[in-house]
Amino acid sequence: MGPTVGVVAFQGAWREHRNTLESLGASVRLLRRPEDLEGVLGVVLPGGESTVIGRFLEQSGLAPALRASLEERTALLATCAGAILACREVEGSPPQGRLGLVPARAVRNAYGGQGESFEGDLPWEGGDSLRGIFIRAPRFEDLGEGTRVLARHRGEPVAFLWNRCLLCAFHPELGEDLRVHRRFLDLCPA
């Protein structure tokens, strides 16, 4: 049995993350209240609508509990809207519910709106490409010290690591490639 991980389950693609992680042997807990974090070694902050997810994080009290857990030792996989909430700086987004932990700047909807959604092959660490699904995706700028880019699209970083945090501008949970989720599970403390 793999590690126990939590998926923030207010809105967005949380079901797809849960299904992918369970297929890899992880025990998945849905996170909706601070007490749901007990014993969790990794957290997934899914894509969806960052303003809506941020509001729920604040109203539920989960935002400060998540911040504390992530600062201590919990791993994080944040995709699209979740990545926006994880970044220290955000252009075009209210601060409500933001975790603000990762030294990077996110620009909301930088790859276009819903109608400009696209898929593309991304060179992934280790050489092989990974299919990225971009839906109102953010752009990452001003990556801070200690960040390591894992994938780029047209020269711009779209996936990177910082400490135990893995941020993706795209939606790995909507594709069939499991490398992003495997990498996240490897970040979870033993």
Side-chain angles (χ1 to χ4, degrees):
M1 194 69 170
T4 299
V5 297
V7 178
V8 174
F10 291 122
Q11 189 262 344
W14 61 267
R15 289 173 188 86
E16 291 82 355
H17 280 291
R18 178 192 62 198
N19 294 343
T20 300
L21 290 162
E22 286 177 345
S23 79
L24 292 171
S27 174
V28 178
R29 180 179 305 151
L30 301 182
L31 303 178
R32 294 188 175 110
R33 304 167 309 182
E35 52 268 24
D36 296 336
L37 282 166
E38 183 68 35
V40 166
L41 299 175
V43 170
V44 176
L45 198 51
E49 172 50 54
S50 61
T51 306
V52 173
I53 295 170
R55 188 177 310 122
F56 280 121
L57 287 174
E58 285 297 325
Q59 290 173 354
S60 68
L62 195 52
L66 267 175
R67 272 187 218 102
S69 181
L70 292 167
E71 287 172 348
E72 284 180 25
R73 68 185 293 250
T74 306
L76 173 69
L77 170 60
T79 61
C80 199
I84 291 168
L85 293 168
C87 286
R88 283 191 188 149
E89 295 180 48
V90 179
E91 180 181 304
S93 180
Q96 185 179 32
R98 266 206 345 252
L99 301 178
L101 294 171
V102 179
R105 181 174 185 258
V107 179
R108 293 179 72 212
N109 301 320
Y111 291 96
Q114 191 76 25
E116 289 84 34
S117 298
F118 66 95
E119 293 184 35
D121 289 326
L122 311 171
W124 184 253
E125 69 169 354
D128 292 338
S129 65
L130 173 80
R131 193 83 174 150
I133 300 169
F134 292 78
I135 304 169
R136 297 176 56 210
R139 178 175 42 245
F140 300 127
E141 299 177 343
D142 304 328
L143 301 183
E145 189 174 324
T147 57
R148 180 174 158 209
V149 175
L150 302 176
R152 293 181 185 274
H153 175 70
R154 296 184 179 162
E156 295 186 3
V158 292
F160 70 94
L161 276 173
W162 178 75
N163 289 342
R164 294 172 313 281
C165 301
L166 171 53
L167 276 64
C168 296
F170 56 94
H171 290 268
E173 75 282 5
L174 300 179
E176 296 180 13
D177 195 310
L178 303 175
R179 283 179 284 177
V180 171
H181 288 87
R182 279 191 188 116
R183 187 61 188 264
F184 162 64
L185 291 175
D186 288 343
L187 294 171
C188 295

